[in-house]
Amino acid sequence: MTFKTGHVGLNVSDLDRSRDFYLKIFGFEVLAESGEADRRYAFLGLDGTLVLTLWQQSEGRFATGLPGLHHLSFQVPDIETVRRAEDAIREAGATLHHGGVVAHREGASSGGVFFEDPDGIRLEIYAPTGAEGSPVPVAAAPTCGFF
């Protein structure tokens, strides 16, 4: 038996704000959306393939101190794509961790940017190569750039 992640569903507090954020940072397209007051959601994807579903059914901010999602990671083909994403993250005024692009660990060629969406959900955009010589977060675990 093999498994592959299908799409990811996230609870958000403001669908419009979150949808616009994910469209800007990731370049997703809206595949479907519901504006019904009691059932707001947006299906976001690339080239017609569903990647992320946003559901407006929560309040407050993402609770990093509770069991559940640590961070959501997206792989891109190269470090130049990561750097373009970093620029978009900065333009959006999102919380960017570690000051920008970092290597996953000392001597690693993989690396990326770690940041938060408008609800505080922790995200990563990384490339498997190209981050050689980038700084390494001091508190980084061996395979993750968050805390």
Side-chain angles (χ1 to χ4, degrees):
M1 182 180 298
T2 60
F3 293 93
K4 179 181 170 189
T5 302
H7 72 280
V8 173
L10 298 175
N11 285 339
V12 298
S13 61
D14 181 327
L15 181 64
D16 298 327
R17 178 183 68 177
S18 293
R19 180 200 57 233
D20 293 348
F21 176 84
Y22 282 93
L23 294 178
K24 177 180 179 66
I25 303 301
F26 293 91
F28 290 143
E29 59 194 59
V30 177
L31 302 178
E33 189 168 17
S34 171
E36 297 175 35
D38 60 338
R39 187 172 158 84
R40 295 203 64 210
Y41 63 83
F43 292 174
L44 308 180
L46 292 169
D47 300 322
T49 300
L50 179 61
V51 176
L52 189 68
T53 304
L54 304 175
W55 295 91
Q56 183 174 303
Q57 56 187 23
S58 62
E59 297 176 359
R61 299 216 11 109
F62 179 70
T64 59
L66 296 176
L69 178 74
H70 183 272
H71 73 284
L72 181 56
S73 177
F74 294 88
Q75 182 178 329
V76 295
D78 53 52
I79 203 70
E80 291 76 24
T81 305
V82 174
R83 294 194 190 286
R84 284 193 302 275
E86 178 186 359
D87 290 342
I89 293 162
R90 290 182 190 281
E91 286 175 21
T95 299
L96 180 65
H97 293 274
H98 312 302
V101 174
V102 294
H104 281 138
R105 64 181 173 280
E106 202 66 47
S109 62
S110 64
V113 289
F114 297 86
F115 59 104
E116 296 177 15
D117 83 351
D119 287 302
I121 297 170
R122 299 182 299 193
L123 303 167
E124 172 190 15
I125 296 175
Y126 80 97
T129 60
E132 300 89 346
S134 295
V136 177
V138 175
T143 59
C144 174
F146 277 115
F147 317 107

